[in-house]
Amino acid sequence: MSDAFISVSTVAGSLREGHRDGSRNDALFYNPVGLAFTNSGDIIVADNSNHCIRKVTLREGNDISSHVETIAGVAGRPGYRDGTADQALFYKPTSVAVGVDDTIYVTDLGNKRIRTVDGCGKVSTLAGSGKPGFVDGQGTSASFTALYNITSSANKSIFYISDEQFVRTMDVHGIVTTITEQRKLLKSIFFGKSKFGCLCQVACRGGDHETLYVADCSKHAVTSVSLNTGDLRTIAGGKRASEAALLNYPVGICVDISGYIFVCDGRNHKIEIISPTLETMTTLVGCGENGLVDGNGEETKLSNPRRLLLDESTHTLYFTQDHCIRKVDLQHLLPPLTQVSSLSEDLVSLVDNKDLADVVFQVEGKQIYAYKPILSARCSYFSCLFSSKESHLSRDRHMTTIPIEDVSFDAFQTLIVYLMTDKVNVDMNDWKMVCQLLILSDHFLVSKLKSYCETTLARQIRVENVVEILVLADTQNIPMLKKQAITFICKHRAVMVDRDEMKKLSPSLLFEIMPKGL
């Protein structure tokens, strides 16, 4: 892999342990582990050996001016106590996840409980009795053994938890369930028959066939778990013979919207990348020597990288190691990687191919040619449209013409190209285009693209567009985006209160904003 443009830099912290809030150069951590994004794009950190939860504010996406603060827990004081931010106690928190309302969910390893931190910093216990065990249930009737990681689903309504050898789920009400197929393994755990060793991080990839990807550090493997069938599959490492697939204590994992899997190869001091076809695994960054050296690709030095966090809107991969948070710039990653498989490039040649197409969309007086089988396979909306026995479209063996109204040609063409090639061929910094794509992906039930648009749009909220984004989120029923827009308006109320577009908001939206501080 060409790594000349894959750069690694340090966001905050250093090789020195400690606890200190402040700028990126002044801040100190003590074994930070799990990371998660807030809905406004800041990073929440489980500062494990400081026994507290920290926040890194990335100002306008620029980590050079980042600021670190403690938002819950008392540094250096382990314990168990719910309460206000400065009174609550944690005991070796290992990971964090953020809900749709910006509630922070914490795996409190030492206390064997899932804790929450609300917007005011109040800490509460959501699930876990504090006694070791694998007991499903709600709240304190559930029990955990070794809480290493928590990851949210795409809509943030379900959380996936790695609890020693098992993947478990939890909803926002604290109802804990062990994934069905693994429930059979519970009785055999003491006989060494579990299919997993010790699970460190779980990554979720949404879509029609939702799959979890698991970093199993004690078996030195990456495993996939189908949430539809419960099937397990070793992807890399473990007992596979191929030397190229060997891992040494993988502890962190994440997956992007295209299916690339990133893995913290802990004791090899590298971050590896697995292609979407699962055929190749190569080193992304790290020369294999222990250390903290920024730079490009395999020239860099890492030290037991722990957990990963991917920002797909900025193509940035964050990770923790030692007493710091670092990042990998992936801006130039995808072009060389797409050479692993030519499928996407080959499908591009079919886009708008009039001679081979069997369906044409009429948009703003222009034509977009496509293919029923591909659209049906990629999109449940088109599958129903073309396969319904009552639909004349399913019986038409010749070119089918479908008029599309109230949408721009560019936006609809982008949707069709995405369905055909899995590529978004427009500038995602154009927030108005992202708004159009969000509406289209919602209407045509393209969940992955919708989720990508939501995340991208949330990062682009500004004074000039926040009202329009708020109205869109309210109209399309997107709670996370709506919450973010309202929070932004309240935070910038001095600027927002006199803007003309604020005066045009509906009474119901104004009523939602007013109690929050406008």
Side-chain angles (χ1 to χ4, degrees):
M1 178 188 300
S2 175
D3 60 7
F5 299 103
I6 304 175
S7 64
V8 178
S9 57
T10 301
V11 176
S14 65
L15 288 173
R16 177 186 170 192
E17 67 189 50
H19 177 273
R20 185 166 63 207
D21 292 338
S23 68
R24 58 165 289 188
N25 293 324
D26 294 331
L28 295 176
F29 296 89
Y30 193 0
N31 293 326
V33 186
L35 305 171
F37 284 117
T38 66
N39 294 324
S40 58
D42 298 327
I43 297 177
I44 303 299
V45 185
D47 196 352
N48 182 266
S49 295
N50 273 324
H51 312 290
C52 58
I53 307 302
R54 315 282 292 279
K55 180 170 77 171
V56 181
T57 301
L58 302 176
R59 295 170 181 169
E60 299 297 326
N62 181 2
D63 57 82
I64 294 178
S65 59
S66 59
H67 178 82
V68 179
E69 61 180 311
T70 302
I71 59 175
V74 180
R77 186 177 173 186
Y80 171 66
R81 183 168 64 202
D82 289 338
T84 59
D86 59 346
Q87 295 293 320
L89 298 178
F90 297 89
Y91 188 10
K92 290 193 173 296
T94 51
S95 70
V96 285
V98 177
V100 69
D101 60 352
D102 260 335
T103 296
I104 301 168
Y105 297 79
V106 183
T107 52
D108 194 351
L109 175 66
N111 287 315
K112 298 176 173 39
R113 293 176 169 98
I114 305 289
R115 316 280 293 281
T116 61
V117 184
D118 69 14
C120 299
K122 180 181 178 181
V123 177
S124 305
T125 298
L126 179 62
S129 64
K131 299 178 181 180
F134 296 101
V135 180
D136 291 343
Q138 183 170 12
T140 56
S141 65
S143 63
F144 304 97
T145 295
L147 292 166
Y148 290 118
N149 180 250
I150 184 169
T151 300
S152 65
S153 61
N155 62 10
K156 301 191 176 185
S157 63
I158 297 293
F159 299 90
Y160 302 104
I161 300 164
S162 55
D163 185 11
E164 200 168 73
Q165 290 131 313
F166 298 99
V167 180
R168 309 176 74 182
T169 66
M170 183 189 72
D171 66 11
V172 294
H173 305 295
I175 299 176
V176 178
T177 307
T178 303
I179 289 181
T180 304
E181 289 299 312
Q182 293 189 8
R183 194 186 296 273
K184 302 173 185 177
L185 301 174
L186 284 173
K187 293 183 179 179
S188 65
I189 182 172
F190 299 108
F191 300 97
K193 296 179 181 179
S194 173
K195 293 184 180 180
F196 286 129
C198 183
L199 310 185
C200 285
Q201 187 170 12
V202 176
C204 177
R205 183 187 182 193
D208 295 332
H209 307 286
E210 197 161 352
T211 303
L212 294 181
Y213 296 89
V214 181
D216 188 341
C217 60
S218 66
K219 291 194 173 183
H220 308 289
V222 171
T223 304
S224 66
V225 184
S226 170
L227 295 180
N228 295 330
T229 65
D231 291 340
L232 307 180
R233 177 187 177 188
T234 298
I235 295 173
K239 296 180 179 179
R240 290 179 57 171
S242 171
E243 183 177 351
L246 293 181
L247 295 165
N248 191 353
Y249 208 74
V251 291
I253 190 169
C254 66
V255 57
D256 76 358
I257 195 170
S258 301
Y260 290 103
I261 303 169
F262 302 87
V263 183
C264 280
D265 194 357
R267 292 174 183 165
N268 282 327
H269 311 298
K270 297 178 180 180
I271 294 177
E272 315 285 2
I273 183 168
I274 301 171
S275 68
T277 61
L278 309 182
E279 294 175 353
T280 61
M281 183 177 75
T282 55
T283 297
L284 178 68
V285 291
C287 66
E289 296 182 15
N290 191 333
L292 198 165
V293 177
D294 291 340
N296 293 329
E298 295 184 19
E299 298 176 356
T300 62
K301 290 185 180 181
L302 281 58
S303 176
N304 292 291
R306 299 187 185 110
R307 298 293 190 273
L308 295 171
L309 177 66
L310 179 64
D311 183 351
E312 295 198 56
S313 66
T314 62
H315 305 290
T316 304
L317 181 68
Y318 295 89
F319 67 97
T320 51
Q321 75 161 70
D322 292 317
H323 311 298
C324 63
I325 299 166
R326 304 175 74 186
K327 73 170 188 175
V328 184
D329 183 355
L330 304 175
Q331 290 285 348
H332 299 277
L333 175 65
L334 290 181
L337 280 180
T338 53
Q339 295 171 10
V340 172
S341 170
S342 63
L343 178 60
S344 293
E345 286 70 22
D346 294 341
L347 288 174
V348 169
S349 65
L350 294 179
V351 175
D352 256 355
N353 189 318
K354 183 178 179 180
D355 295 330
L356 299 176
D358 58 3
V359 61
V360 58
F361 298 95
Q362 296 278 2
V363 188
E364 293 187 330
K366 302 176 184 177
Q367 291 77 40
I368 300 173
Y369 294 92
Y371 309 84
K372 293 179 187 177
I374 296 178
L375 297 184
S376 296
R378 295 274 290 161
C379 174
S380 59
Y381 180 98
F382 286 120
S383 177
C384 292
L385 180 66
F386 296 139
S387 64
S388 172
K389 292 182 179 179
E390 289 76 23
S391 173
H392 71 280
L393 299 179
S394 63
R395 299 190 299 270
D396 193 341
R397 301 302 178 186
H398 305 289
M399 184 73 76
T400 299
T401 301
I402 302 177
I404 301 294
E405 300 178 350
D406 301 322
V407 63
S408 73
F409 174 85
D410 289 341
F412 193 79
Q413 184 181 53
T414 300
L415 174 70
I416 296 300
V417 170
Y418 171 77
L419 291 175
M420 292 279 296
T421 68
D422 216 28
K423 294 178 178 294
V424 179
N425 64 344
V426 295
D427 181 6
M428 293 300 280
N429 291 317
D430 181 352
W431 68 270
K432 290 189 176 181
M433 174 58 74
V434 178
C435 286
Q436 293 183 60
L437 283 178
L438 179 56
I439 294 171
L440 279 174
S441 58
D442 181 57
H443 177 77
F444 288 98
L445 308 178
V446 186
S447 59
K448 285 172 58 179
L449 181 60
K450 179 184 176 183
S451 177
Y452 184 49
C453 289
E454 286 180 34
T455 304
T456 302
L457 203 55
R459 303 283 194 271
Q460 297 179 1
I461 291 179
R462 300 289 184 269
V463 169
E464 306 79 43
N465 64 18
V466 63
V467 172
E468 190 169 337
I469 292 175
L470 171 60
V471 173
L472 171 67
D474 183 58
T475 304
Q476 301 298 126
N477 191 27
I478 306 173
M480 182 195 78
L481 193 59
K482 182 177 179 180
K483 164 86 172 177
Q484 166 124 14
I486 291 176
T487 300
F488 183 94
I489 290 172
C490 294
K491 185 176 180 180
H492 298 83
R493 55 185 176 273
V495 178
M496 296 300 304
V497 69
D498 293 325
R499 292 186 67 88
D500 291 338
E501 57 264 37
M502 288 293 295
K503 300 171 185 177
K504 299 177 183 179
L505 283 174
S506 67
S508 61
L509 277 177
L510 285 172
F511 181 78
E512 289 188 62
I513 297 172
M514 292 297 286
K516 300 183 183 294
L518 186 62

